[in-house]
Amino acid sequence: MSERKVVVVTGGSRGIGAATARLAAREGWSVCLTYRSAQGEAEGVVADVQAAGGEALAVRADTAQESDIVALFSTVDERFGRIDGLVNNAGILDRPMNVDAIDGAALTHMLAVNIGGCFLCLREAARRMKARGGSIVNIGSRLSELGGAGGFVHYATTKGAIDSLTVGAARELAAEGVRVNCVSPGVIETDIHETTGIAGRAKTLSTQVPMNRPGTAEEVAEAVVWLLSDQASYITGAKLNVSGGR
Ligand code: NDP
């Protein structure tokens, strides 16, 4: 069994997940980071962690597929023999669609990744953590409360589910020593905005941010890794906005 605490970070190849994996490793966690297609970038994060003296493993797992999630956690069992943390980060944004023009197949896929994948990863982690405690951080979004009007209601709706999952799972698992919290990023400068097809989206949106700039993946990672840690030992069911005041 690994001597260090082990955290699984889904979607750890890029953006917020990659920054979280790097910071968690610096804080002494062994990290299992997952990716769907960006193997080279995921292996690059692993190399960075190892070069800094940490332990990391990259595993391909499409979180829209339950079988991939089950296999991922089996790999963690075999490789590390324990799991102490989960960062439910893998998520997609997609192109804008108004509510009266939603594409059914795109909506179904988004629900599968942004809700189903997080729920099933939480299930697998909770089954293993129940005996010995653990900490789960779900990555939501400020849009769960802002609503996403203007093309992103589908995405905002999936993040509303993350808010509910956080509160419900936190209360259900509290007596088992498992904490569940949510970090809600605002506008963060990552690749995810490119999938909307709107050039410069993060910069444009930052005019709506009181701090007048987009956040960085590293700023979100700081909040995530703190909630994962024992320093947040009496915090469960909480939502922490990392959004520059938006
Ligand atoms: P990125 O697009 O930069 O990274 C997304 C990560 O998720 C990648 O590692 C990607 O893997 C992975 N991923 C996507 N789909 C799947 C899938 N089906 N199975 C497994 N992994 C998958 O996004 P961000 O870092 O910006 O976003 C991370 C989280 O933060 C998301 O949940 C997002 O909704 C949330 N968020 C982001 C905000 C922002 O402004 N950036 C604001 C609010 C919330 P691969 O590289 O292999 O494709």
Side-chain angles (χ1 to χ4, degrees):
M1 184 193 287
S2 174
E3 286 184 10
R4 302 186 217 199
K5 285 189 171 185
V6 174
V7 61
V8 173
V9 180
T10 65
S13 54
R14 296 183 283 117
I16 292 167
T20 300
R22 288 191 174 96
L23 179 60
R26 284 205 299 278
E27 296 289 323
W29 295 79
S30 288
V31 180
C32 176
L33 60 97
T34 76
Y35 62 96
R36 175 193 46 183
S37 56
Q39 182 177 6
E41 286 165 283
E43 296 294 352
V45 176
V46 168
D48 290 348
V49 167
Q50 290 173 341
E55 187 180 20
L57 172 72
V59 177
R60 201 204 77 83
D62 180 349
T63 56
Q65 305 295 330
E66 182 175 9
S67 56
D68 279 18
I69 291 171
V70 170
L72 161 68
F73 282 85
S74 294
T75 300
V76 173
D77 292 342
E78 287 159 21
R79 170 70 188 261
F80 298 102
R82 63 187 286 178
I83 175 170
D84 306 276
L86 166 68
V87 181
N88 246 333
N89 168 77
I92 54 173
L93 180 57
D94 203 359
R95 66 193 189 279
M97 284 175 270
N98 287 343
V99 290
D100 59 354
I102 201 81
D103 175 314
L107 176 65
T108 299
H109 182 61
M110 183 175 281
L111 296 173
V113 177
N114 289 6
I115 304 176
C118 288
F119 207 128
L120 293 174
C121 286
L122 184 143
R123 178 191 74 188
E124 293 300 311
R127 283 177 177 169
R128 289 160 173 83
M129 291 174 176
K130 272 172 90 168
R132 38 190 308 278
S135 179
I136 297 170
V137 179
N138 297 321
I139 307 300
S141 168
R142 284 295 295 133
L143 285 191
S144 71
E145 291 177 35
L146 297 173
F152 296 100
V153 176
H154 53 328
Y155 174 79
T157 300
T158 66
K159 295 302 188 176
I162 295 305
D163 291 354
S164 300
L165 175 63
T166 300
V167 174
R171 292 180 179 176
E172 206 168 288
L173 296 169
E176 312 275 359
V178 181
R179 296 185 296 106
V180 186
N181 291 292
C182 177
V183 165
S184 290
V187 182
I188 310 299
E189 188 83 83
T190 71
D191 295 348
I192 205 168
H193 300 285
E194 290 171 17
T195 63
T196 65
I198 303 169
R201 180 170 185 266
K203 285 269 171 347
T204 306
L205 279 177
S206 65
T207 58
Q208 301 171 19
V209 177
M211 287 179 72
N212 203 29
R213 66 168 176 89
T216 66
E218 288 72 22
E219 288 174 310
V220 180
E222 291 286 350
V224 174
V225 174
W226 176 72
L227 280 172
L228 270 183
S229 78
D230 290 342
Q231 288 170 296
S233 56
Y234 198 53
I235 301 175
T236 198
K239 183 160 70 166
L240 179 53
N241 296 339
V242 182
S243 58
R246 186 176 185 229

